[in-house]
Structure formats: structure tokens, C-alpha cells
Amino acid sequence: ILQKTTVKEKAAMIKIIAHRGSSGDAPENTMYAFRKAVEDGADAIETDVRKTKDGVLIIMHDSTLKRVAGDNYADFDVTQKTYDEIKDIDISSKNFPDLPVQHIAKLSDLLNLVKETGIEVNIEIKGNQKTDDGLEYDIVEMVKQYGVEDKIFYSCFDHTILANVRKANPDAKVAPLYSPALYKVQEYAKTFGAFAIHPEFKSGLLRGDFKAAREAGLEINVWTVNHDEDAQRLVKAGVTGLITNFPKQIRRAVDQM
């Protein structure tokens, strides 16, 4: 049974998770954005991992580079290129021309930052729906090699992939991403050993499910929360984590409660 907590106590326990790093103020999913997230006081970094044609684990949300590198890369699928073919592409100047040029980071770069700073990382696994490419197993193995298993938690919209993560490492922390709401999510999430749920906050702000999920022992990390009033409302509703492009701003809003 959950003890009643005051709003201030709830606010003090909130985890601020930097969505693709401090992506509101820096090029998303770059080492610059991740280091800024650390500087901004984020408790964790959320990121996305894919695999290149030659098996290199890279950090990239979309399969193409159009949104981060421009229209010339609209049909440029990173999963169909080797790492050498993509490693020098500028993925920052299109949206942040005044900042130092950034390139596609490897998962190993981020795991080195974890070792350096101790920050937690939420890895969203961008599995290929067309083929079973074993991405989740490669990620779990690399995390083990770097000795940072206790700093990593995994999410995915394909919940079978999360079950596979738990097969590869029974101690791994996994959380299903979903939108819209899932019926009796607290029961469903337990079927593959989830420690948390990751609902989209608008469609998943859910008809009493927060209370049921918390009573079931699940953490609730909601995405993507970029406005102060939304953050404060969600804290009052009982969430445990806020995934945001602006970790410094949202931390301040929560601390003011």
C-alpha cells in the first residue's frame, strides 16, 4: 500500500530524463546534447539505438537523416549504410548552425560518458520491424562489456523486443513505450517483467491507471513533457519520471512546487 505523500515530497522524488539529451537546446542524440544534459542536472538520458549495415551500434532516432541533416538525406537509410559511409555527416548545422558541428555518435561513446559521469541512460531500441536483426542482443552485450548494466534501462514500442532483453539479461530493467493507453497496463507490463511504463502523456493520461500502476510497484515515466504546467500536473497525478527536451527548465518547474 502506497503511503500518502505531499506534492513537495512527490516533486523531490521525480526523475528528470533528458529526451535525446538536452535536445531543446542542442542537436538531438549527439554527444554535445548528452554532455549538456549532464550539465543541466538531468537524472538520466533517453536515447535511440540502431545498427548500421556493418553491425555498428549507432545513436539515431529516425532511419533517415532528413530531419537532422537536410533534404539531401531524405532517402538515406542509416541501417543500409556502413558506419564509414555515415560517420562524417554533419547532423547539427541544419537545426543548430551556431553550435560546433556534430556527427553520428556510437553507443560506445555514450557508454563511455556513463562510465565517466555515472548518469543513467534509457535506451530506446529501434528494432527493424521487417527483419529480426538481433539489435537488442547486441546492445545488451555491449552494455555488459562496458560494465554499466546498473545504469541502463531499456524501452521499446515492440514489447517482444523487451521480452528478449530480459531473456538476454534477466536483471535488465525494461519499460514498454505506448500510445494510446493500454488496458490494465499494470498487469500487462508484468508479463514480461517490466519495472516501469512509458506512456505518451496526452493519450496515456489515463483513467486511473497511474494509481493502479504505482500500487503494482511500477514506475511511470511519461513523454514528452516540455511545458511547466504539464510537468506539475503530472507530478500531482503520481508519475515518477518526466522525459523532456528541456531538463533544466522542467527540473526548475518541479522544484517550484
Short mmCIF file of all heavy atoms in Angstrom, two decimals, residues 30-63:
data_model
loop_
_atom_site.label_atom_id
_atom_site.label_comp_id
_atom_site.label_asym_id
_atom_site.label_seq_id
_atom_site.Cartn_x
_atom_site.Cartn_y
_atom_site.Cartn_z
N THR A 30 23.22 13.74 -29.89
CA THR A 30 24.66 13.93 -30.13
C THR A 30 25.38 13.96 -28.79
O THR A 30 24.77 14.19 -27.74
CB THR A 30 24.93 15.25 -30.86
OG1 THR A 30 24.46 16.34 -30.05
CG2 THR A 30 24.23 15.29 -32.22
N MET A 31 26.69 13.79 -28.82
CA MET A 31 27.46 13.84 -27.58
C MET A 31 27.37 15.22 -26.95
O MET A 31 27.39 15.36 -25.73
CB MET A 31 28.91 13.44 -27.84
CG MET A 31 29.09 11.97 -28.21
SD MET A 31 28.29 10.79 -27.07
CE MET A 31 29.18 11.16 -25.54
N TYR A 32 27.22 16.25 -27.78
CA TYR A 32 27.04 17.61 -27.25
C TYR A 32 25.76 17.66 -26.41
O TYR A 32 25.75 18.21 -25.30
CB TYR A 32 26.97 18.60 -28.41
CG TYR A 32 26.98 20.06 -27.99
CD1 TYR A 32 28.15 20.81 -28.02
CD2 TYR A 32 25.82 20.70 -27.55
CE1 TYR A 32 28.16 22.16 -27.64
CE2 TYR A 32 25.82 22.02 -27.17
CZ TYR A 32 26.99 22.75 -27.21
OH TYR A 32 26.99 24.08 -26.83
N ALA A 33 24.67 17.12 -26.95
CA ALA A 33 23.39 17.12 -26.23
C ALA A 33 23.45 16.29 -24.96
O ALA A 33 22.84 16.63 -23.94
CB ALA A 33 22.28 16.62 -27.15
N PHE A 34 24.19 15.19 -25.00
CA PHE A 34 24.30 14.33 -23.82
C PHE A 34 25.12 15.01 -22.72
O PHE A 34 24.75 14.96 -21.54
CB PHE A 34 24.92 12.99 -24.20
CG PHE A 34 24.12 12.19 -25.20
CD1 PHE A 34 24.76 11.36 -26.12
CD2 PHE A 34 22.73 12.29 -25.25
CE1 PHE A 34 24.02 10.63 -27.04
CE2 PHE A 34 21.99 11.57 -26.18
CZ PHE A 34 22.63 10.74 -27.07
N ARG A 35 26.22 15.63 -23.11
CA ARG A 35 27.03 16.32 -22.10
C ARG A 35 26.26 17.52 -21.52
O ARG A 35 26.36 17.81 -20.33
CB ARG A 35 28.36 16.78 -22.71
CG ARG A 35 29.29 15.61 -23.01
CD ARG A 35 30.71 16.04 -23.34
NE ARG A 35 31.56 14.88 -23.54
CZ ARG A 35 32.13 14.18 -22.57
NH1 ARG A 35 31.95 14.54 -21.30
NH2 ARG A 35 32.89 13.14 -22.84
N LYS A 36 25.48 18.17 -22.36
CA LYS A 36 24.66 19.28 -21.87
C LYS A 36 23.63 18.78 -20.87
O LYS A 36 23.33 19.44 -19.88
CB LYS A 36 23.99 20.03 -23.03
CG LYS A 36 23.15 21.21 -22.56
CD LYS A 36 22.98 22.27 -23.61
CE LYS A 36 22.17 23.47 -23.12
NZ LYS A 36 22.36 23.86 -21.74
N ALA A 37 23.06 17.61 -21.14
CA ALA A 37 22.09 17.02 -20.20
C ALA A 37 22.71 16.80 -18.83
O ALA A 37 22.08 17.06 -17.80
CB ALA A 37 21.55 15.71 -20.77
N VAL A 38 23.95 16.33 -18.82
CA VAL A 38 24.66 16.16 -17.54
C VAL A 38 24.82 17.51 -16.86
O VAL A 38 24.52 17.66 -15.66
CB VAL A 38 26.03 15.49 -17.77
CG1 VAL A 38 26.82 15.43 -16.46
CG2 VAL A 38 25.85 14.07 -18.34
N GLU A 39 25.26 18.51 -17.62
CA GLU A 39 25.44 19.87 -17.07
C GLU A 39 24.11 20.45 -16.58
O GLU A 39 24.07 21.19 -15.59
CB GLU A 39 26.02 20.80 -18.14
CG GLU A 39 27.45 20.50 -18.54
CD GLU A 39 27.88 21.29 -19.78
OE1 GLU A 39 27.15 22.22 -20.17
OE2 GLU A 39 28.94 20.95 -20.35
N ASP A 40 23.01 20.11 -17.27
CA ASP A 40 21.69 20.64 -16.92
C ASP A 40 21.07 19.94 -15.72
O ASP A 40 19.96 20.29 -15.31
CB ASP A 40 20.75 20.52 -18.12
CG ASP A 40 21.05 21.54 -19.21
OD1 ASP A 40 21.80 22.49 -18.95
OD2 ASP A 40 20.53 21.37 -20.34
N GLY A 41 21.77 18.95 -15.18
CA GLY A 41 21.28 18.30 -13.97
C GLY A 41 20.28 17.20 -14.20
O GLY A 41 19.56 16.80 -13.26
N ALA A 42 20.21 16.67 -15.43
CA ALA A 42 19.30 15.55 -15.69
C ALA A 42 19.71 14.34 -14.85
O ALA A 42 20.90 14.11 -14.59
CB ALA A 42 19.32 15.19 -17.17
N ASP A 43 18.71 13.57 -14.43
CA ASP A 43 18.98 12.33 -13.70
C ASP A 43 19.32 11.19 -14.65
O ASP A 43 19.97 10.22 -14.26
CB ASP A 43 17.75 11.93 -12.87
CG ASP A 43 17.39 12.99 -11.85
OD1 ASP A 43 18.23 13.30 -10.99
OD2 ASP A 43 16.26 13.53 -11.93
N ALA A 44 18.84 11.29 -15.88
CA ALA A 44 19.07 10.24 -16.88
C ALA A 44 18.97 10.85 -18.27
O ALA A 44 18.44 11.95 -18.45
CB ALA A 44 18.06 9.10 -16.72
N ILE A 45 19.50 10.12 -19.24
CA ILE A 45 19.42 10.49 -20.65
C ILE A 45 18.60 9.43 -21.37
O ILE A 45 18.81 8.23 -21.16
CB ILE A 45 20.84 10.56 -21.27
CG1 ILE A 45 21.62 11.75 -20.73
CG2 ILE A 45 20.78 10.59 -22.79
CD1 ILE A 45 23.11 11.69 -21.03
N GLU A 46 17.67 9.87 -22.22
CA GLU A 46 16.95 8.95 -23.09
C GLU A 46 17.56 9.05 -24.48
O GLU A 46 17.90 10.15 -24.94
CB GLU A 46 15.46 9.32 -23.15
CG GLU A 46 14.58 8.36 -23.94
CD GLU A 46 14.48 8.68 -25.43
OE1 GLU A 46 14.93 9.76 -25.86
OE2 GLU A 46 13.95 7.84 -26.18
N THR A 47 17.73 7.91 -25.15
CA THR A 47 18.34 7.92 -26.48
C THR A 47 17.81 6.76 -27.30
O THR A 47 17.04 5.92 -26.81
CB THR A 47 19.87 7.86 -26.38
OG1 THR A 47 20.44 8.19 -27.64
CG2 THR A 47 20.36 6.48 -25.95
N ASP A 48 18.21 6.71 -28.57
CA ASP A 48 17.71 5.72 -29.52
C ASP A 48 18.90 5.03 -30.19
O ASP A 48 19.83 5.69 -30.63
CB ASP A 48 16.87 6.40 -30.61
CG ASP A 48 15.84 7.35 -30.02
OD1 ASP A 48 14.75 6.88 -29.69
OD2 ASP A 48 16.13 8.56 -29.90
N VAL A 49 18.82 3.70 -30.28
CA VAL A 49 19.93 2.95 -30.87
C VAL A 49 19.46 2.13 -32.06
O VAL A 49 18.43 1.44 -32.00
CB VAL A 49 20.61 2.05 -29.81
CG1 VAL A 49 21.71 1.20 -30.46
CG2 VAL A 49 21.19 2.89 -28.68
N ARG A 50 20.23 2.25 -33.14
CA ARG A 50 20.04 1.46 -34.35
C ARG A 50 21.34 0.75 -34.69
O ARG A 50 22.37 0.98 -34.04
CB ARG A 50 19.61 2.35 -35.52
CG ARG A 50 18.26 3.02 -35.35
CD ARG A 50 17.90 3.89 -36.56
NE ARG A 50 16.60 4.50 -36.40
CZ ARG A 50 15.44 3.94 -36.72
NH1 ARG A 50 15.45 2.71 -37.23
NH2 ARG A 50 14.30 4.56 -36.54
N LYS A 51 21.31 -0.05 -35.75
CA LYS A 51 22.51 -0.77 -36.18
C LYS A 51 22.77 -0.51 -37.65
O LYS A 51 21.86 -0.58 -38.48
CB LYS A 51 22.33 -2.27 -35.93
CG LYS A 51 23.56 -3.11 -36.23
CD LYS A 51 23.53 -4.47 -35.53
CE LYS A 51 22.40 -5.35 -35.97
NZ LYS A 51 22.54 -6.72 -35.40
N THR A 52 24.02 -0.19 -37.98
CA THR A 52 24.39 0.04 -39.37
C THR A 52 24.48 -1.29 -40.13
O THR A 52 24.43 -2.37 -39.53
CB THR A 52 25.75 0.75 -39.49
OG1 THR A 52 26.75 -0.11 -38.90
CG2 THR A 52 25.74 2.09 -38.77
N LYS A 53 24.65 -1.17 -41.43
CA LYS A 53 24.74 -2.36 -42.29
C LYS A 53 25.88 -3.28 -41.87
O LYS A 53 25.78 -4.51 -41.99
CB LYS A 53 24.93 -1.92 -43.74
CG LYS A 53 24.86 -3.03 -44.77
CD LYS A 53 25.00 -2.45 -46.18
CE LYS A 53 24.94 -3.54 -47.23
NZ LYS A 53 25.08 -2.97 -48.60
N ASP A 54 26.97 -2.67 -41.35
CA ASP A 54 28.11 -3.48 -40.94
C ASP A 54 28.12 -3.74 -39.43
O ASP A 54 29.15 -4.12 -38.86
CB ASP A 54 29.43 -2.86 -41.40
CG ASP A 54 29.59 -1.42 -40.94
OD1 ASP A 54 28.58 -0.75 -40.64
OD2 ASP A 54 30.75 -0.94 -40.88
N GLY A 55 26.96 -3.55 -38.78
CA GLY A 55 26.82 -4.01 -37.39
C GLY A 55 27.28 -3.05 -36.32
O GLY A 55 27.38 -3.45 -35.15
N VAL A 56 27.54 -1.79 -36.66
CA VAL A 56 27.95 -0.82 -35.64
C VAL A 56 26.70 -0.25 -34.97
O VAL A 56 25.74 0.14 -35.65
CB VAL A 56 28.79 0.32 -36.27
CG1 VAL A 56 29.15 1.37 -35.23
CG2 VAL A 56 30.06 -0.25 -36.90
N LEU A 57 26.70 -0.20 -33.65
CA LEU A 57 25.57 0.34 -32.89
C LEU A 57 25.70 1.85 -32.84
O LEU A 57 26.67 2.38 -32.28
CB LEU A 57 25.54 -0.26 -31.49
CG LEU A 57 25.40 -1.78 -31.42
CD1 LEU A 57 25.37 -2.24 -29.97
CD2 LEU A 57 24.16 -2.26 -32.16
N ILE A 58 24.73 2.53 -33.43
CA ILE A 58 24.78 3.99 -33.52
C ILE A 58 23.56 4.60 -32.83
O ILE A 58 22.55 3.94 -32.59
CB ILE A 58 24.82 4.48 -34.99
CG1 ILE A 58 23.59 3.97 -35.77
CG2 ILE A 58 26.11 4.06 -35.66
CD1 ILE A 58 23.37 4.66 -37.11
N ILE A 59 23.68 5.88 -32.54
CA ILE A 59 22.61 6.61 -31.87
C ILE A 59 21.90 7.49 -32.91
O ILE A 59 22.49 8.41 -33.46
CB ILE A 59 23.19 7.45 -30.72
CG1 ILE A 59 23.68 6.48 -29.64
CG2 ILE A 59 22.16 8.42 -30.18
CD1 ILE A 59 24.45 7.12 -28.54
N MET A 60 20.63 7.16 -33.17
CA MET A 60 19.86 7.89 -34.18
C MET A 60 18.39 7.54 -34.01
O MET A 60 18.05 6.36 -33.91
CB MET A 60 20.35 7.50 -35.59
CG MET A 60 19.64 8.21 -36.73
SD MET A 60 19.75 10.01 -36.70
CE MET A 60 21.53 10.27 -36.66
N HIS A 61 17.54 8.56 -33.98
CA HIS A 61 16.11 8.31 -33.82
C HIS A 61 15.47 7.81 -35.11
O HIS A 61 14.84 6.76 -35.15
CB HIS A 61 15.39 9.57 -33.33
CG HIS A 61 13.93 9.35 -33.09
ND1 HIS A 61 12.98 9.50 -34.09
CD2 HIS A 61 13.25 8.98 -31.98
CE1 HIS A 61 11.78 9.23 -33.59
NE2 HIS A 61 11.92 8.91 -32.32
N ASP A 62 15.61 8.58 -36.19
CA ASP A 62 14.98 8.22 -37.47
C ASP A 62 15.90 7.28 -38.24
O ASP A 62 17.12 7.28 -38.06
CB ASP A 62 14.73 9.46 -38.32
CG ASP A 62 13.84 10.49 -37.62
OD1 ASP A 62 13.33 10.20 -36.52
OD2 ASP A 62 13.67 11.59 -38.19
N SER A 63 15.29 6.52 -39.15
CA SER A 63 16.13 5.68 -40.00
C SER A 63 16.81 6.50 -41.08
O SER A 63 17.88 6.13 -41.59
CB SER A 63 15.31 4.55 -40.63
OG SER A 63 14.26 5.09 -41.41
#
